[in-house]
Amino acid sequence: MVKRESNVDRVYDALRQMAVDFAFKPDQRLNESALAAQLDTSRTPLREALNRLVAEGLLTFQTNRGFFCRSLTPKDILDLYETRVAVECEALRLSCSRASDDEICALEMWLAEAEPMYLSSEDTLELLTLDEEFHLRLARLSGNNELLRMLASVNDRIRYIRLIDLKNMCARSGGDPEAHRKIMRALAARDAKGADTAMRSHIEKRREQATEAVRIAFSQLYVPMD
């Protein structure tokens, strides 16, 4: 039983990364036989892993047709950004009242230590990882594990687009950690309204670039790179 579960987890981890990275084209039907051979597994653990990814919104399933990669449209991405705003603002509101002074101080110290990397790194994935980590740590202060789980799920489904957007942003103006500082100042002051305003401004600024990022994503996914 342990061996079987570990095999399912192995297959799930591999497929999950492929789905997050759009290793499958948007709306592409997945070839289960080819995937089973590629991942050196049988159909049963493969199906279990695929069903888990459907439940997470990273894949879709159509009766009598099989599993498909999720769609990638401006509306899909805008929906996810709206969800992110709702989740993060509610988590931040709770954090303003529930987080201890020590927890807030610890996050301020983490942000101060991470900021030099954010300003100097040219690795887009590293920058995005730092950004996601800050927002997850912030949400964790809410004490609400469901909000934290929802945020992690949204992060996975918009990561590909956010990488493109972040690359374009850095090319234009470089990294800008001031938005995180504004959020932290409001949190430290227990200013829920100010924190909400700072968070909404931070996320919605990036949401405005979603349509362009989706267009670039399609060019990268379907046009061979030199």
Side-chain angles (χ1 to χ4, degrees):
M1 178 62 71
V2 173
K3 182 178 181 180
R4 178 176 175 279
E5 289 178 350
S6 63
N7 188 41
V8 172
D9 289 340
R10 176 185 66 81
V11 174
Y12 163 79
D13 289 341
L15 286 172
R16 192 175 194 282
Q17 193 61 55
M18 294 166 73
V20 167
D21 293 341
F22 275 103
F24 314 114
K25 300 292 190 297
D27 299 312
Q28 174 188 346
R29 183 178 180 181
L30 275 57
N31 185 323
E32 293 182 49
S33 297
L35 283 173
Q38 179 182 346
L39 299 174
D40 189 25
T41 189
S42 64
R43 295 290 286 273
T44 298
L46 178 69
R47 276 291 181 98
E48 289 189 30
L50 290 170
N51 280 316
R52 285 171 63 180
L53 292 170
V54 169
E56 294 177 13
L58 288 167
L59 298 177
T60 63
F61 178 78
Q62 297 180 25
T63 304
N64 298 325
R65 295 197 64 199
F67 296 90
F68 292 77
C69 179
R70 69 194 189 280
S71 298
L72 179 61
T73 68
K75 184 181 185 307
D76 294 324
I77 298 303
L78 289 173
D79 286 351
L80 287 168
Y81 269 98
E82 288 177 355
T83 302
R84 183 185 170 203
V85 168
V87 170
E88 292 220 48
C89 286
E90 177 60 14
L92 185 55
R93 183 186 70 82
L94 294 173
S95 296
C96 284
S97 61
R98 294 179 177 177
S100 69
D101 291 342
D102 286 345
E103 288 174 327
I104 293 174
C105 182
L107 183 53
E108 287 177 323
M109 291 176 62
W110 180 89
L111 185 60
E113 292 173 357
E115 192 169 290
M117 291 184 286
Y118 190 83
L119 290 170
S120 63
S121 178
E122 297 181 357
D123 184 334
T124 309
L125 181 57
E126 181 180 40
L127 291 172
L128 180 57
T129 299
L130 286 170
D131 184 82
E132 288 182 340
E133 181 64 20
F134 170 72
H135 286 271
L136 287 169
R137 285 173 179 258
L138 192 61
R140 192 173 291 118
L141 297 185
S142 72
N144 188 311
N145 290 331
E146 285 302 309
L147 288 174
L148 188 63
R149 179 185 62 80
M150 290 171 67
L151 177 57
S153 175
V154 170
N155 283 344
D156 287 339
R157 286 185 282 166
I158 62 173
R159 182 170 295 129
Y160 188 83
I161 293 300
R162 290 199 65 209
L163 279 169
I164 293 172
D165 179 47
L166 187 58
K167 182 177 181 180
N168 290 342
M169 182 182 73
C170 290
R172 293 192 300 267
S173 58
D176 178 15
E178 178 56 28
H180 289 174
R181 296 193 203 111
K182 288 181 179 178
I183 294 169
M184 282 305 307
R185 286 196 292 269
L187 174 61
R190 310 285 181 173
D191 178 6
K193 184 176 180 180
D196 182 89
T197 299
M199 180 65 80
R200 287 181 185 276
S201 175
H202 176 44
I203 298 175
E204 289 177 358
K205 185 177 180 180
R206 305 278 31 99
R207 185 181 64 177
E208 293 170 0
Q209 308 300 320
T211 299
E212 174 65 10
V214 170
R215 185 192 67 77
I216 295 172
F218 268 92
S219 71
Q220 293 182 354
L221 289 168
Y222 288 101
V223 178
M225 302 296 288
D226 294 331

